[in-house]
Amino acid sequence: MLAYILARLQTTEWFSLLEPLSQTSAFSALNAKYTESLKQAQAQNTQIFPSMRQIFRAFEATPFEKLHTILLGQDPYPGTFRHNDQERPFACGLSFSVPQVAPLPKSLQNIYKELHASLNIPISRHGDLSAWAHQGVLLLNAILSVPKGQPKGHAHLGWESFTDGVLSALSHLDRPLLFIFLGKVAQEKIQTLTPNPKHLILCAPHPSPLAQNRPPTFLGSGVFKKAQEFLQAQNIPMQWVLP
């Protein structure tokens, strides 16, 4: 099932990086567990987020040839919101991003606050970050699916092995890349990277309000100022203002 969805990337440059990962025994095990989770959710009349067609949206939304930044999240939003009398998931396949009509999650509000403080970026009224993805920011989660209402509920499926492989492969690319790891869970992924003098790794506390009670905090970290300085030094254009 997952290999079939991944096959939609066959015509992109992503496929040569992702296809070897899909041939591993770990990916086969992940596929079996993910498929079983869908069956269980259906039997229990609940849901898995994001929708199956959005599982690999991070790769579909970011052209490989434009890739310059990896912004790593933990796992998709497990909650829902109501719009036009319909229940809709916050999760949309891009880390930290939500549908344009969704209320802004607290973590994303803090990301906007830090962007405003560091780069004077106007605070967006919506949470759709796809414009960043289209410019070359890979909005990737360490875990790519979540059961409704159960944060980290799919930590046992094996997604981490897959995303470890993605990050490892990206660290071998011979072009400047910026890795932004927010929070301890994301920062554990640093060990998957092969040191590369062309790349910059930036770390900051998680933007969740729960992580702002004790220093150091995400707010005031200057992580986006450092990111923009790196991109400008590499002559890589990046417009953080959202349309």
Side-chain angles (χ1 to χ4, degrees), residues 112-171:
Y112 287 167
K113 288 177 183 178
E114 183 61 25
L115 276 166
H116 180 69
S118 294
L119 301 174
N120 200 31
I121 302 298
I123 295 178
S124 176
R125 295 184 178 180
H126 68 80
D128 180 3
L129 305 181
S130 58
W132 292 359
H134 299 157
Q135 293 179 76
V137 180
L138 182 67
L139 297 167
L140 184 67
N141 279 312
I143 300 166
L144 299 188
S145 64
V146 67
K148 179 181 177 180
Q150 300 178 46
K152 294 190 72 176
H154 276 178
H156 65 285
L157 293 194
W159 281 119
E160 294 94 330
S161 176
F162 174 73
T163 53
D164 280 356
V166 171
L167 292 170
S168 176
L170 290 177
S171 71

Side-chain angles (χ1 to χ4, degrees), residues 65-231:
E65 58 275 17
K66 289 186 178 181
L67 175 70
H68 56 69
T69 298
I70 297 90
L71 179 58
L72 190 70
Q74 181 173 287
D75 64 341
Y77 296 111
T80 61
F81 66 98
R82 295 199 69 81
H83 179 70
N84 291 338
D85 291 327
Q86 290 186 329
E87 185 181 28
R88 298 183 56 177
F90 282 99
C92 62
L94 304 177
S95 64
F96 298 106
S97 183
V98 295
Q100 193 161 110
V101 296
L104 289 179
K106 298 294 186 182
S107 293
L108 187 52
Q109 289 182 36
N110 281 339
I111 286 175
Y112 287 167
K113 288 177 183 178
E114 183 61 25
L115 276 166
H116 180 69
S118 294
L119 301 174
N120 200 31
I121 302 298
I123 295 178
S124 176
R125 295 184 178 180
H126 68 80
D128 180 3
L129 305 181
S130 58
W132 292 359
H134 299 157
Q135 293 179 76
V137 180
L138 182 67
L139 297 167
L140 184 67
N141 279 312
I143 300 166
L144 299 188
S145 64
V146 67
K148 179 181 177 180
Q150 300 178 46
K152 294 190 72 176
H154 276 178
H156 65 285
L157 293 194
W159 281 119
E160 294 94 330
S161 176
F162 174 73
T163 53
D164 280 356
V166 171
L167 292 170
S168 176
L170 290 177
S171 71
H172 284 89
L173 293 181
D174 189 30
R175 56 165 137 154
L177 287 179
L178 171 64
F179 293 85
I180 302 177
F181 295 105
L182 303 182
K184 292 182 179 180
V185 173
Q187 289 161 24
E188 290 174 357
K189 292 284 193 180
I190 293 175
Q191 62 186 348
T192 70
L193 306 180
T194 296
N196 188 323
K198 292 189 175 183
H199 301 165
L200 176 65
I201 300 170
L202 292 178
C203 297
H206 197 276
S208 167
L210 297 176
Q212 307 310 306
N213 296 327
R214 292 183 301 176
T217 61
F218 173 77
L219 294 174
S221 65
V223 64
F224 288 111
K225 183 176 186 294
K226 298 170 188 174
Q228 189 65 0
E229 288 172 349
F230 172 80
L231 295 175

